[in-house]
Amino acid sequence: GAGVVVGGTGVGTGTGTGLRDTVLDDDDNFRQSTTPPPPPSSKLNRRERIAAYVGGIFSSDATLSDPDSAQAQAVKWIADWDDLRLAVPGDERGEVSTPSASRFVRRYALAVLYFATGGADWEDQFNFMSYIDECQWNMKIDDEENGEHSYGVFCDQQNHPITISLPNNNMIGTLPPEIRVFPRLRVLNLSINGLYGTLPPEMWDLMELEHALFAWNDLSGTIPEWLGGYTELQQLSLEGNFFEGTLPSDLKYLSKLTHLNLAENKKLSGTIPMSWGELGALRSLSLSYNDLSGSIPSSFKFLTKLRDLRLSNNKFSGSLPQSFSNIKHMRNLYLDDNQFSGNLYPLGSLMFLETLSIQKNSFIDNISNNFYEFMDDLKVLDASNNLLWGVLTPEIFAKGKLEILDLHRNNISNSLPEFPDNHSLKYLALQHNGLSKDLPASISNLRALTHLDLSNNKLTGPIPESIGNMELLTYLYLAANSFGNGESSPVPDFLRSLTALRELSLRDTGRNEVIPEWITELKNLKLLDLGGNALEGTLPGQAFETMFQLHFLLLDNNKLEGTVPHTIGMLGKLRILTLEGNSFTALEQFSGISTRDGWDEHPYLGGKGSVFSADCGYSEVDDIDISMKYAREEISCRKCTECCGSGGQCHDAAKQVSNLDLMWEHDYFRPEIEHNDYIDIWA
């Protein structure tokens, strides 16, 4: 995912003469150019002498002649505003002292970087453009959570910059070619900024670069083949940019590369080069959220040090390679949202897996084969939205470190197993399968569970009372099952002890009798879905009076009657209210105040992004006068966004809200809903 530790730029096999061949001596100091600057002259002022010196060697004459260019601004600064007043090389004795020249050029090049990336608007200046030595243009910041971090420019003992680290610093602009004057640079961290344009080919001269961090900028173009010349490179990340084209095969020469992150460029296409199997030092590879296709190369069997592989959200296909058995120390494997197929047998040898994310593919296998049998370190298993079948066994629930188990939208059938004691599992999603028979009372043995979704199965029998002991539950979805004994099946009284609940769905579970007054005790509820049952009687107004956190209240298609209490209209956070399919007669008016301060002035209901549905269409009535056939309005509701019944039409979107999949990747946050008269959109 996002936030991996590196970024990238290049080196390569470019053409032409490099900086080392022209103006650097054996100690990487700047020597006299073969084309020396003009001799000192009273006709040249200081600014002109500086421009004459750097022109043609480090900067182009064209950029120097443009007064708005970063190069021209850097010349002006070093000539007129830099308190250090460094001598222009060659000014005094007609000779260039190479250490002095090197310092002059370094200071000039850093000034160019400053002006080229909007330095005046940087989040932190890190002493840039101050009178102090440029090797002290840095700062160490102590972060209580993450420890000490160093930012800015850092040099070696010979005063050669070896680190330029300016992440998340509001740098906006292009990377200037003058970056080439730092031949000993090992760390270049410019991630999380606003850099745009392409990677300049002058970066070819940074042959000692070990860590290149350019994640989350706006860089574009193709990924240069010359990056393959960075033989010292250990970390390269171009994540979160706009690179396009195919993956460069020449990266195979990066024998020291341990981390490669090219995720989230969207337009990167083609296949993974077979040659990447030669990256024997690779520990982390992330290519997620691109447009890549093809299969996982068989050469990956040589990546025996790989710990983290992320290929999510591409168009990869084919079956899992048997060569996975060679990558025995894999910790995190993300293959989700692709077109993979076949069985899961090759995963069985990955005994050290902690995260396995393979959802939204077409894997087909018998879940009873227990491919996870030896994965004792497993914390996350998401195999949802596949074609897995068979019967769940108790072994998966005995994993001592497993926290998230998501198998929803598969073809898993038969009864649930007896659950062993488990103090680690927090999230269990089994909705949209073919589970049947009774829900075991031992479900409460999953003592750490906060999210339980068993909706849209074929479960029968009573809802076990032991669920009332699961006091950590915040999400409970039991909708669309055949719970109940056919007679008295009220909203279970034991649910009142689950005061941590934020969402409760009992839709279409055979509930009858009245909505209990104790529902008010569930004050943290954001969603309550009791629709599609046979609940009767009136709505308990006092019960809803203090449920201030309610966003979604779904009561449609029951046998409720009477007026809708005004206390519901006073729930200021309510965004969805479904009342249709009942026998309500009116919206209760607000006592002592005008309706303008009540239903009509609700901050959300009736507005964009809300659903307020009721039987406010016209119903057929038996009457001699045929003109009165649709004359009776069931309920007056000026704020309703949808009128249902025979004279109106209701969208199904509001009822489906309780069955939206809450994704663990998004910290269980529910997608927001945008609604209008024509379309329902989940963002």
Side-chain angles (χ1 to χ4, degrees):
V4 179
V5 290
V6 281
T9 23
V11 181
T13 56
T15 60
T17 305
L19 189 69
R20 292 175 181 274
D21 301 317
T22 55
V23 293
L24 293 180
D25 61 23
D26 292 338
D27 295 320
D28 287 334
N29 288 313
F30 292 91
R31 63 173 178 241
Q32 178 76 44
S33 170
T34 55
T35 306
S41 170
S42 59
K43 295 182 179 180
L44 296 178
N45 60 34
R46 175 175 168 81
R47 192 184 301 181
E48 292 169 335
R49 295 198 307 274
I50 293 173
Y53 176 69
V54 299
I57 305 176
F58 312 110
S59 302
S60 71
D61 291 337
T63 57
L64 289 169
S65 61
D66 178 0
D68 295 325
S69 71
Q71 291 78 6
Q73 292 180 70
V75 167
K76 181 179 180 181
W77 174 79
I78 208 167
D80 302 337
W81 299 102
D82 184 6
D83 291 337
L84 224 54
R85 300 289 293 180
L86 291 177
V88 181
D91 259 7
E92 296 178 359
R93 295 182 296 275
E95 298 176 356
V96 174
S97 172
T98 53
S100 298
S102 293
R103 184 178 186 189
F104 186 92
V105 171
R106 288 197 306 267
R107 203 165 176 88
Y108 165 73
L110 287 171
V112 173
L113 177 64
Y114 179 86
F115 288 115
T117 58
D121 296 320
W122 285 2
E123 192 73 24
D124 200 307
Q125 298 293 301
F126 297 119
N127 295 317
F128 264 68
M129 317 307 284
S130 67
Y131 67 92
I132 62 177
D133 190 286
E134 61 277 5
C135 287
Q136 297 177 33
W137 287 359
N138 58 56
M139 184 181 300
K140 293 184 177 181
I141 298 177
D142 189 15
D143 186 327
E144 293 183 1
E145 183 176 344
N146 300 309
E148 186 178 80
H149 293 273
S150 299
Y151 300 95
V153 180
F154 295 86
C155 302
D156 60 15
Q157 292 182 347
Q158 289 77 40
N159 291 322
H160 291 285
I162 57 173
T163 294
I164 298 178
S165 182
L166 298 166
N168 199 17
N169 201 41
N170 196 39
M171 300 176 72
I172 300 175
T174 59
L175 194 62
E178 285 77 9
I179 194 72
R180 70 192 300 220
V181 307
F182 306 117
R184 291 192 182 179
L185 201 63
R186 298 175 187 169
V187 177
L188 182 57
N189 182 0
L190 302 179
S191 57
I192 320 177
N193 281 296
L195 299 176
Y196 53 86
T198 60
L199 295 175
E202 289 81 3
M203 290 183 62
W204 156 253
D205 288 297
L206 306 182
M207 297 297 292
E208 297 184 17
L209 202 62
E210 297 175 358
H211 308 279
L213 297 89
F214 286 89
W216 301 107
N217 280 282
D218 296 318
L219 297 168
S220 58
T222 58
I223 298 175
E225 289 282 352
W226 47 258
L227 284 172
Y230 279 179
T231 55
E232 298 299 317
L233 200 63
Q234 299 173 24
Q235 296 182 312
L236 170 63
S237 175
L238 302 177
E239 177 187 16
N241 282 283
F242 295 95
F243 289 102
E244 57 188 31
T246 58
L247 302 177
S249 58
D250 279 2
L251 296 188
K252 66 181 181 180
Y253 298 116
L254 305 181
S255 60
K256 297 182 180 180
L257 192 67
T258 60
H259 293 75
L260 175 58
N261 191 342
L262 305 178
E264 301 213 34
N265 279 281
K266 303 294 192 287
K267 292 185 179 181
L268 284 178
S269 59
T271 61
I272 301 175
M274 187 68 70
S275 61
W276 283 17
E278 299 179 37
L279 297 172
L282 203 62
R283 297 173 62 89
S284 176
L285 173 61
S286 181
L287 301 174
S288 298
Y289 294 93
N290 285 300
D291 195 31
L292 300 169
S293 57
S295 59
I296 298 175
S298 58
S299 61
F300 270 32
K301 65 184 177 182
F302 300 114
L303 304 182
T304 56
K305 295 183 179 180
L306 199 60
R307 300 292 185 271
D308 193 295
L309 176 60
R310 301 176 187 240
L311 305 179
S312 307
N313 289 85
N314 280 285
K315 296 177 181 177
F316 291 116
S317 59
S319 58
L320 299 179
Q322 297 298 322
S323 57
F324 266 3
S325 60
N326 288 22
I327 316 175
K328 297 184 182 298
H329 296 282
M330 184 89 74
R331 295 285 183 181
N332 301 296
L333 180 59
Y334 293 82
L335 304 177
D336 56 278
D337 295 87
N338 280 289
Q339 300 166 19
F340 289 114
S341 57
N343 62 54
L344 302 176
Y345 176 78
L347 300 177
S349 59
L350 305 181
M351 296 184 292
F352 298 101
L353 270 184
E354 296 177 3
T355 301
L356 177 58
S357 180
I358 56 175
Q359 69 270 23
K360 294 186 179 179
N361 283 286
S362 296
F363 290 116
I364 181 168
D365 205 345
N366 187 344
I367 195 72
S368 308
N369 289 337
N370 295 355
F371 65 90
Y372 45 76
E373 180 177 1
F374 301 108
M375 300 179 186
D376 293 334
D377 292 329
L378 199 60
K379 296 179 181 179
V380 174
L381 171 55
D382 189 345
S384 60
N385 287 278
N386 279 287
L387 301 172
L388 304 181
W389 54 281
V391 180
L392 283 175
T393 62
E395 284 75 15
I396 187 63
F397 299 101
K399 296 290 181 185
K401 297 181 180 179
L402 190 64
E403 297 180 3
I404 294 171
L405 177 59
D406 193 343
L407 299 174
H408 80 270
R409 294 187 187 275
N410 279 286
N411 298 319
I412 301 170
S413 59
N414 216 312
S415 59
L416 286 165
E418 290 295 331
F419 296 94
D421 271 347
N422 183 302
H423 294 269
S424 62
L425 192 63
K426 298 176 181 178
Y427 181 102
L428 177 59
L430 299 174
Q431 68 269 26
H432 292 281
N433 277 287
L435 298 170
S436 59
K437 302 183 180 179
D438 289 5
L439 174 59
S442 57
I443 186 72
S444 62
N445 286 341
L446 307 179
R447 305 188 188 281
L449 212 60
T450 61
H451 181 113
L452 176 60
D453 195 339
L454 300 173
S455 58
N456 291 277
N457 279 286
K458 301 175 182 178
L459 296 170
T460 58
I463 300 173
E465 291 188 25
S466 60
I467 288 182
N469 299 324
M470 304 175 74
E471 296 181 354
L472 297 180
L473 278 178
T474 53
Y475 300 89
L476 178 59
Y477 294 86
L478 301 175
N481 282 289
S482 299
F483 293 119
N485 55 18
E487 297 179 359
S488 177
S489 298
V491 177
D493 183 73
F494 51 80
L495 296 181
R496 67 193 304 174
S497 63
L498 304 181
T499 55
L501 276 180
R502 295 178 61 191
E503 303 197 7
L504 172 63
S505 176
L506 297 175
R507 170 176 290 274
D508 194 17
T509 56
R511 299 304 96 194
N512 54 32
E513 300 190 14
V514 299
I515 296 177
E517 292 276 355
W518 58 257
I519 203 76
T520 190
E521 298 174 26
L522 305 182
K523 297 185 185 303
N524 292 313
L525 278 183
K526 294 182 67 175
L527 179 146
L528 177 61
D529 186 359
L530 299 176
N533 286 293
L535 296 168
E536 55 192 30
T538 59
L539 284 179
Q542 288 185 329
F544 290 101
E545 191 171 11
T546 57
M547 300 182 72
F548 301 120
Q549 300 304 315
L550 270 179
H551 287 60
F552 312 108
L553 179 58
L554 295 92
L555 302 172
D556 56 276
N557 295 293
N558 280 285
K559 298 180 180 179
L560 299 168
E561 58 188 10
T563 59
V564 181
H566 74 273
T567 52
I568 291 179
M570 295 177 66
L571 299 176
K573 295 184 179 180
L574 206 58
R575 286 173 169 79
I576 290 184
L577 175 61
T578 63
L579 302 173
E580 72 275 7
N582 288 287
S583 298
F584 294 119
T585 56
L587 301 180
E588 184 181 56
Q589 300 306 308
F590 286 66
S591 177
I593 54 177
S594 72
T595 57
R596 282 194 162 283
D597 299 313
W599 295 99
D600 288 347
E601 294 299 321
H602 193 282
Y604 297 111
L605 286 180
K608 184 178 180 180
S610 77
V611 176
F612 185 5
S613 58
D615 292 321
C616 49
Y618 293 97
S619 299
E620 293 189 26
V621 294
D622 293 326
D623 197 288
I624 296 175
D625 185 354
I626 194 67
S627 66
M628 295 294 293
K629 185 175 182 181
Y630 297 104
R632 181 169 61 82
E633 206 177 45
E634 295 188 7
I635 188 173
S636 176
C637 182
R638 287 180 293 178
K639 293 284 283 186
C640 282
T641 61
E642 298 178 354
C643 284
C644 312
S646 58
Q649 181 179 1
C650 267
H651 300 292
D652 291 331
K655 293 92 169 179
Q656 294 170 357
V657 66
S658 62
N659 293 320
L660 285 175
D661 300 331
L662 292 182
M663 295 173 283
W664 57 266
E665 304 99 317
H666 299 162
D667 297 324
Y668 319 122
F669 289 153
R670 176 172 296 288
E672 290 297 325
I673 296 174
E674 180 179 340
H675 175 80
N676 58 41
D677 290 339
Y678 304 101
I679 191 167
D680 301 289
I681 303 172
W682 274 265

